[in-house]
Short mmCIF file of all heavy atoms in Angstrom, two decimals:
data_model
loop_
_atom_site.label_atom_id
_atom_site.label_comp_id
_atom_site.label_asym_id
_atom_site.label_seq_id
_atom_site.Cartn_x
_atom_site.Cartn_y
_atom_site.Cartn_z
N SER X 1 -23.10 36.84 0.64
CA SER X 1 -23.54 35.53 0.14
C SER X 1 -24.46 35.68 -1.06
O SER X 1 -24.39 34.90 -2.01
CB SER X 1 -24.20 34.72 1.25
OG SER X 1 -25.31 35.40 1.78
N ALA X 2 -25.32 36.71 -1.05
CA ALA X 2 -26.20 36.94 -2.20
C ALA X 2 -25.40 37.37 -3.43
O ALA X 2 -25.67 36.92 -4.55
CB ALA X 2 -27.25 38.00 -1.86
N VAL X 3 -24.40 38.23 -3.22
CA VAL X 3 -23.54 38.65 -4.33
C VAL X 3 -22.78 37.45 -4.89
O VAL X 3 -22.68 37.26 -6.11
CB VAL X 3 -22.57 39.77 -3.90
CG1 VAL X 3 -21.48 40.00 -4.93
CG2 VAL X 3 -23.35 41.06 -3.64
N ALA X 4 -22.26 36.61 -4.01
CA ALA X 4 -21.53 35.41 -4.45
C ALA X 4 -22.42 34.54 -5.35
O ALA X 4 -21.99 34.07 -6.40
CB ALA X 4 -21.04 34.61 -3.25
N ASP X 5 -23.66 34.35 -4.92
CA ASP X 5 -24.60 33.57 -5.71
C ASP X 5 -24.83 34.21 -7.07
O ASP X 5 -24.82 33.53 -8.10
CB ASP X 5 -25.92 33.43 -4.95
CG ASP X 5 -26.93 32.61 -5.73
OD1 ASP X 5 -26.69 31.41 -5.94
OD2 ASP X 5 -27.96 33.19 -6.15
N ARG X 6 -25.01 35.52 -7.10
CA ARG X 6 -25.29 36.23 -8.36
C ARG X 6 -24.13 36.15 -9.34
O ARG X 6 -24.35 36.10 -10.55
CB ARG X 6 -25.59 37.70 -8.11
CG ARG X 6 -26.84 37.97 -7.35
CD ARG X 6 -28.08 38.03 -8.28
NE ARG X 6 -29.29 38.03 -7.48
CZ ARG X 6 -29.85 39.10 -6.96
NH1 ARG X 6 -29.35 40.29 -7.19
NH2 ARG X 6 -30.92 38.98 -6.23
N ILE X 7 -22.91 36.19 -8.84
CA ILE X 7 -21.75 36.23 -9.75
C ILE X 7 -21.10 34.86 -9.94
O ILE X 7 -20.12 34.74 -10.66
CB ILE X 7 -20.70 37.28 -9.31
CG1 ILE X 7 -20.03 36.90 -8.00
CG2 ILE X 7 -21.33 38.67 -9.24
CD1 ILE X 7 -18.87 37.83 -7.62
N GLY X 8 -21.64 33.83 -9.30
CA GLY X 8 -21.12 32.48 -9.47
C GLY X 8 -19.82 32.23 -8.74
O GLY X 8 -18.94 31.53 -9.25
N ALA X 9 -19.69 32.79 -7.55
CA ALA X 9 -18.48 32.63 -6.75
C ALA X 9 -18.81 31.91 -5.45
O ALA X 9 -19.98 31.78 -5.07
CB ALA X 9 -17.87 34.00 -6.45
N GLY X 10 -17.77 31.46 -4.75
CA GLY X 10 -17.94 30.92 -3.42
C GLY X 10 -18.03 32.05 -2.40
O GLY X 10 -17.87 33.22 -2.75
N PHE X 11 -18.25 31.68 -1.14
CA PHE X 11 -18.37 32.66 -0.08
C PHE X 11 -17.58 32.22 1.15
O PHE X 11 -17.58 31.03 1.49
CB PHE X 11 -19.85 32.84 0.33
CG PHE X 11 -20.02 33.80 1.47
CD1 PHE X 11 -20.00 35.17 1.25
CD2 PHE X 11 -20.18 33.33 2.76
CE1 PHE X 11 -20.14 36.06 2.31
CE2 PHE X 11 -20.32 34.22 3.83
CZ PHE X 11 -20.30 35.58 3.60
N ALA X 12 -16.93 33.18 1.79
CA ALA X 12 -16.22 32.91 3.06
C ALA X 12 -16.48 34.06 4.02
O ALA X 12 -16.43 35.23 3.63
CB ALA X 12 -14.72 32.76 2.82
N PRO X 13 -16.77 33.74 5.29
CA PRO X 13 -17.01 34.80 6.28
C PRO X 13 -15.74 35.25 6.98
O PRO X 13 -14.83 34.44 7.23
CB PRO X 13 -17.95 34.11 7.29
CG PRO X 13 -17.54 32.67 7.24
CD PRO X 13 -17.12 32.42 5.81
N VAL X 14 -15.69 36.53 7.31
CA VAL X 14 -14.68 37.10 8.21
C VAL X 14 -15.45 37.46 9.48
O VAL X 14 -16.46 38.16 9.41
CB VAL X 14 -14.01 38.35 7.60
CG1 VAL X 14 -13.21 39.10 8.64
CG2 VAL X 14 -13.11 37.94 6.45
N ARG X 15 -14.96 36.96 10.63
CA ARG X 15 -15.72 37.11 11.87
C ARG X 15 -14.86 37.66 13.00
O ARG X 15 -13.64 37.69 12.91
CB ARG X 15 -16.26 35.74 12.31
CG ARG X 15 -17.17 35.14 11.26
CD ARG X 15 -18.26 34.31 11.79
NE ARG X 15 -19.13 35.04 12.71
CZ ARG X 15 -20.04 34.46 13.45
NH1 ARG X 15 -20.20 33.15 13.42
NH2 ARG X 15 -20.80 35.17 14.25
N LYS X 16 -15.55 38.03 14.07
CA LYS X 16 -14.88 38.42 15.30
C LYS X 16 -14.19 37.19 15.87
O LYS X 16 -14.62 36.06 15.61
CB LYS X 16 -15.88 38.99 16.32
CG LYS X 16 -16.63 40.21 15.83
CD LYS X 16 -15.74 41.40 15.77
CE LYS X 16 -16.54 42.63 15.34
NZ LYS X 16 -15.69 43.79 15.17
N PRO X 17 -13.14 37.36 16.65
CA PRO X 17 -12.39 36.21 17.19
C PRO X 17 -13.26 35.24 17.98
O PRO X 17 -14.19 35.63 18.69
CB PRO X 17 -11.35 36.87 18.10
CG PRO X 17 -11.16 38.23 17.52
CD PRO X 17 -12.52 38.63 17.01
N GLY X 18 -12.95 33.95 17.80
CA GLY X 18 -13.61 32.90 18.54
C GLY X 18 -14.93 32.43 17.98
O GLY X 18 -15.59 31.58 18.57
N LYS X 19 -15.34 32.93 16.82
CA LYS X 19 -16.64 32.57 16.24
C LYS X 19 -16.55 31.50 15.16
O LYS X 19 -17.56 30.90 14.82
CB LYS X 19 -17.32 33.81 15.65
CG LYS X 19 -17.59 34.91 16.64
CD LYS X 19 -18.65 34.53 17.63
CE LYS X 19 -18.97 35.68 18.56
NZ LYS X 19 -19.99 35.31 19.52
N LEU X 20 -15.37 31.28 14.60
CA LEU X 20 -15.21 30.29 13.54
C LEU X 20 -14.73 28.97 14.15
O LEU X 20 -13.88 28.96 15.04
CB LEU X 20 -14.23 30.80 12.48
CG LEU X 20 -14.73 32.00 11.67
CD1 LEU X 20 -13.61 32.58 10.82
CD2 LEU X 20 -15.91 31.61 10.80
N PRO X 21 -15.24 27.83 13.65
CA PRO X 21 -15.01 26.56 14.32
C PRO X 21 -13.68 25.86 14.02
O PRO X 21 -13.33 24.92 14.72
CB PRO X 21 -16.18 25.70 13.83
CG PRO X 21 -16.48 26.24 12.47
CD PRO X 21 -16.23 27.72 12.58
N SER X 22 -12.96 26.27 13.01
CA SER X 22 -11.72 25.58 12.66
C SER X 22 -10.54 26.53 12.86
O SER X 22 -10.71 27.61 13.42
CB SER X 22 -11.80 25.10 11.19
OG SER X 22 -10.73 24.24 10.89
N THR X 23 -9.37 26.14 12.41
CA THR X 23 -8.19 26.98 12.62
C THR X 23 -8.29 28.25 11.77
O THR X 23 -8.80 28.23 10.66
CB THR X 23 -6.89 26.22 12.29
OG1 THR X 23 -6.98 25.69 10.96
CG2 THR X 23 -6.67 25.08 13.27
N THR X 24 -7.82 29.35 12.34
CA THR X 24 -7.98 30.66 11.72
C THR X 24 -6.67 31.43 11.68
O THR X 24 -5.70 31.07 12.36
CB THR X 24 -9.00 31.51 12.52
OG1 THR X 24 -8.49 31.71 13.84
CG2 THR X 24 -10.36 30.87 12.58
N VAL X 25 -6.68 32.49 10.89
CA VAL X 25 -5.66 33.53 10.97
C VAL X 25 -6.37 34.77 11.48
O VAL X 25 -7.56 34.97 11.21
CB VAL X 25 -4.92 33.79 9.64
CG1 VAL X 25 -4.08 32.58 9.24
CG2 VAL X 25 -5.87 34.16 8.54
N LYS X 26 -5.64 35.60 12.20
CA LYS X 26 -6.23 36.73 12.90
C LYS X 26 -5.45 38.00 12.59
O LYS X 26 -4.23 37.97 12.44
CB LYS X 26 -6.20 36.45 14.41
CG LYS X 26 -6.74 37.54 15.28
CD LYS X 26 -6.65 37.08 16.75
CE LYS X 26 -7.10 38.12 17.71
NZ LYS X 26 -7.06 37.62 19.10
N VAL X 27 -6.17 39.12 12.54
CA VAL X 27 -5.54 40.42 12.41
C VAL X 27 -6.16 41.33 13.47
O VAL X 27 -7.37 41.30 13.69
CB VAL X 27 -5.69 41.01 10.99
CG1 VAL X 27 -7.15 41.27 10.64
CG2 VAL X 27 -4.89 42.28 10.83
N THR X 28 -5.32 42.11 14.11
CA THR X 28 -5.77 43.12 15.05
C THR X 28 -5.56 44.47 14.38
O THR X 28 -4.56 44.69 13.70
CB THR X 28 -4.96 43.05 16.36
OG1 THR X 28 -5.14 41.74 16.91
CG2 THR X 28 -5.44 44.07 17.37
N TYR X 29 -6.51 45.38 14.56
CA TYR X 29 -6.41 46.68 13.91
C TYR X 29 -6.91 47.77 14.85
O TYR X 29 -7.67 47.50 15.78
CB TYR X 29 -7.18 46.70 12.58
CG TYR X 29 -8.66 46.39 12.70
CD1 TYR X 29 -9.60 47.41 12.69
CD2 TYR X 29 -9.12 45.09 12.83
CE1 TYR X 29 -10.95 47.14 12.79
CE2 TYR X 29 -10.47 44.81 12.93
CZ TYR X 29 -11.38 45.84 12.92
OH TYR X 29 -12.72 45.57 13.02
N ASP X 30 -6.47 48.98 14.59
CA ASP X 30 -6.82 50.12 15.44
C ASP X 30 -8.15 50.71 15.05
O ASP X 30 -8.48 50.83 13.87
CB ASP X 30 -5.74 51.21 15.35
CG ASP X 30 -4.43 50.77 15.98
OD1 ASP X 30 -4.48 50.00 16.96
OD2 ASP X 30 -3.38 51.19 15.49
N LEU X 31 -8.90 51.09 16.07
CA LEU X 31 -10.13 51.84 15.90
C LEU X 31 -9.88 53.26 16.39
O LEU X 31 -8.80 53.56 16.91
CB LEU X 31 -11.25 51.21 16.74
CG LEU X 31 -11.66 49.80 16.38
CD1 LEU X 31 -12.61 49.24 17.42
CD2 LEU X 31 -12.32 49.77 15.02
N GLU X 32 -10.87 54.09 16.23
CA GLU X 32 -10.74 55.47 16.69
C GLU X 32 -10.39 55.52 18.18
O GLU X 32 -9.55 56.29 18.62
CB GLU X 32 -12.04 56.22 16.42
CG GLU X 32 -11.89 57.72 16.44
CD GLU X 32 -13.15 58.42 15.95
OE1 GLU X 32 -14.07 57.74 15.44
OE2 GLU X 32 -13.21 59.64 16.09
N TYR X 33 -11.03 54.64 18.95
CA TYR X 33 -10.78 54.55 20.39
C TYR X 33 -10.57 53.09 20.74
O TYR X 33 -11.52 52.39 21.06
CB TYR X 33 -11.95 55.11 21.20
CG TYR X 33 -12.28 56.53 20.86
CD1 TYR X 33 -13.37 56.84 20.07
CD2 TYR X 33 -11.49 57.57 21.32
CE1 TYR X 33 -13.68 58.16 19.74
CE2 TYR X 33 -11.77 58.89 21.00
CZ TYR X 33 -12.87 59.17 20.22
OH TYR X 33 -13.16 60.47 19.90
N GLY X 34 -9.35 52.59 20.65
CA GLY X 34 -9.05 51.22 21.00
C GLY X 34 -8.66 50.38 19.81
O GLY X 34 -8.14 50.89 18.81
N SER X 35 -8.93 49.07 19.90
CA SER X 35 -8.59 48.17 18.81
C SER X 35 -9.64 47.07 18.72
O SER X 35 -10.48 46.91 19.60
CB SER X 35 -7.21 47.55 19.05
OG SER X 35 -7.22 46.74 20.21
N ASP X 36 -9.57 46.33 17.63
CA ASP X 36 -10.49 45.22 17.40
C ASP X 36 -9.73 44.15 16.64
O ASP X 36 -8.55 44.34 16.29
CB ASP X 36 -11.72 45.68 16.61
CG ASP X 36 -12.97 44.86 16.94
OD1 ASP X 36 -12.84 43.76 17.52
OD2 ASP X 36 -14.06 45.31 16.59
N ALA X 37 -10.37 43.03 16.37
CA ALA X 37 -9.71 41.93 15.66
C ALA X 37 -10.72 41.20 14.79
O ALA X 37 -11.93 41.21 15.07
CB ALA X 37 -9.07 40.97 16.65
N LEU X 38 -10.22 40.58 13.74
CA LEU X 38 -11.02 39.76 12.84
C LEU X 38 -10.28 38.47 12.56
O LEU X 38 -9.04 38.42 12.61
CB LEU X 38 -11.25 40.48 11.50
CG LEU X 38 -12.12 41.73 11.52
CD1 LEU X 38 -12.08 42.39 10.14
CD2 LEU X 38 -13.54 41.39 11.90
N GLU X 39 -11.04 37.42 12.22
CA GLU X 39 -10.45 36.14 11.85
C GLU X 39 -11.13 35.59 10.60
O GLU X 39 -12.28 35.91 10.30
CB GLU X 39 -10.63 35.12 12.98
CG GLU X 39 -9.86 35.43 14.22
CD GLU X 39 -10.05 34.39 15.32
OE1 GLU X 39 -11.07 33.65 15.31
OE2 GLU X 39 -9.19 34.34 16.21
N ILE X 40 -10.37 34.73 9.91
CA ILE X 40 -10.89 33.98 8.77
C ILE X 40 -10.28 32.59 8.87
O ILE X 40 -9.18 32.42 9.41
CB ILE X 40 -10.53 34.68 7.43
CG1 ILE X 40 -11.28 34.06 6.25
CG2 ILE X 40 -9.03 34.67 7.19
CD1 ILE X 40 -11.15 34.85 4.95
N HIS X 41 -11.00 31.57 8.41
CA HIS X 41 -10.42 30.23 8.39
C HIS X 41 -9.13 30.25 7.58
O HIS X 41 -9.06 30.91 6.53
CB HIS X 41 -11.39 29.22 7.78
CG HIS X 41 -12.44 28.75 8.74
ND1 HIS X 41 -13.76 28.69 8.41
CD2 HIS X 41 -12.36 28.31 10.02
CE1 HIS X 41 -14.46 28.23 9.44
NE2 HIS X 41 -13.63 28.00 10.44
N ASP X 42 -8.14 29.52 8.05
CA ASP X 42 -6.85 29.55 7.37
C ASP X 42 -6.87 28.87 6.00
O ASP X 42 -5.94 29.02 5.21
CB ASP X 42 -5.74 28.97 8.26
CG ASP X 42 -5.94 27.51 8.63
OD1 ASP X 42 -6.92 26.87 8.19
OD2 ASP X 42 -5.11 26.99 9.40
N ASP X 43 -7.95 28.16 5.69
CA ASP X 43 -8.08 27.53 4.37
C ASP X 43 -9.21 28.16 3.53
O ASP X 43 -9.63 27.61 2.52
CB ASP X 43 -8.31 26.02 4.51
CG ASP X 43 -9.60 25.68 5.26
OD1 ASP X 43 -10.28 26.60 5.77
OD2 ASP X 43 -9.91 24.47 5.35
N ALA X 44 -9.68 29.33 3.95
CA ALA X 44 -10.81 29.97 3.25
C ALA X 44 -10.43 30.54 1.89
O ALA X 44 -11.26 30.58 0.98
CB ALA X 44 -11.41 31.08 4.11
N VAL X 45 -9.20 31.00 1.76
CA VAL X 45 -8.72 31.62 0.52
C VAL X 45 -7.52 30.84 0.03
O VAL X 45 -6.57 30.61 0.79
CB VAL X 45 -8.33 33.10 0.75
CG1 VAL X 45 -7.82 33.72 -0.55
CG2 VAL X 45 -9.49 33.90 1.32
N ARG X 46 -7.57 30.42 -1.23
CA ARG X 46 -6.42 29.73 -1.83
C ARG X 46 -5.53 30.73 -2.56
O ARG X 46 -6.02 31.75 -3.08
CB ARG X 46 -6.89 28.64 -2.78
CG ARG X 46 -7.58 27.48 -2.06
CD ARG X 46 -7.89 26.31 -2.98
NE ARG X 46 -8.54 26.67 -4.23
CZ ARG X 46 -9.84 26.86 -4.39
NH1 ARG X 46 -10.66 26.77 -3.37
NH2 ARG X 46 -10.33 27.16 -5.58
N LYS X 47 -4.26 30.43 -2.60
CA LYS X 47 -3.29 31.30 -3.27
C LYS X 47 -3.75 31.58 -4.70
O LYS X 47 -4.11 30.68 -5.44
CB LYS X 47 -1.92 30.64 -3.26
CG LYS X 47 -0.83 31.50 -3.81
CD LYS X 47 0.53 30.82 -3.69
CE LYS X 47 1.57 31.61 -4.41
NZ LYS X 47 2.33 32.50 -3.63
#
């Protein structure tokens, strides 16, 4: 968020599943031992 402010850009968070309040897209990825997942709002990034 500080970098976004410095360069004049917007900001969007990527969070652990279930933490964002609106509709999201999700990715699951492998860790060294197991897996994890991240989500972002489905309207956070425009084409």
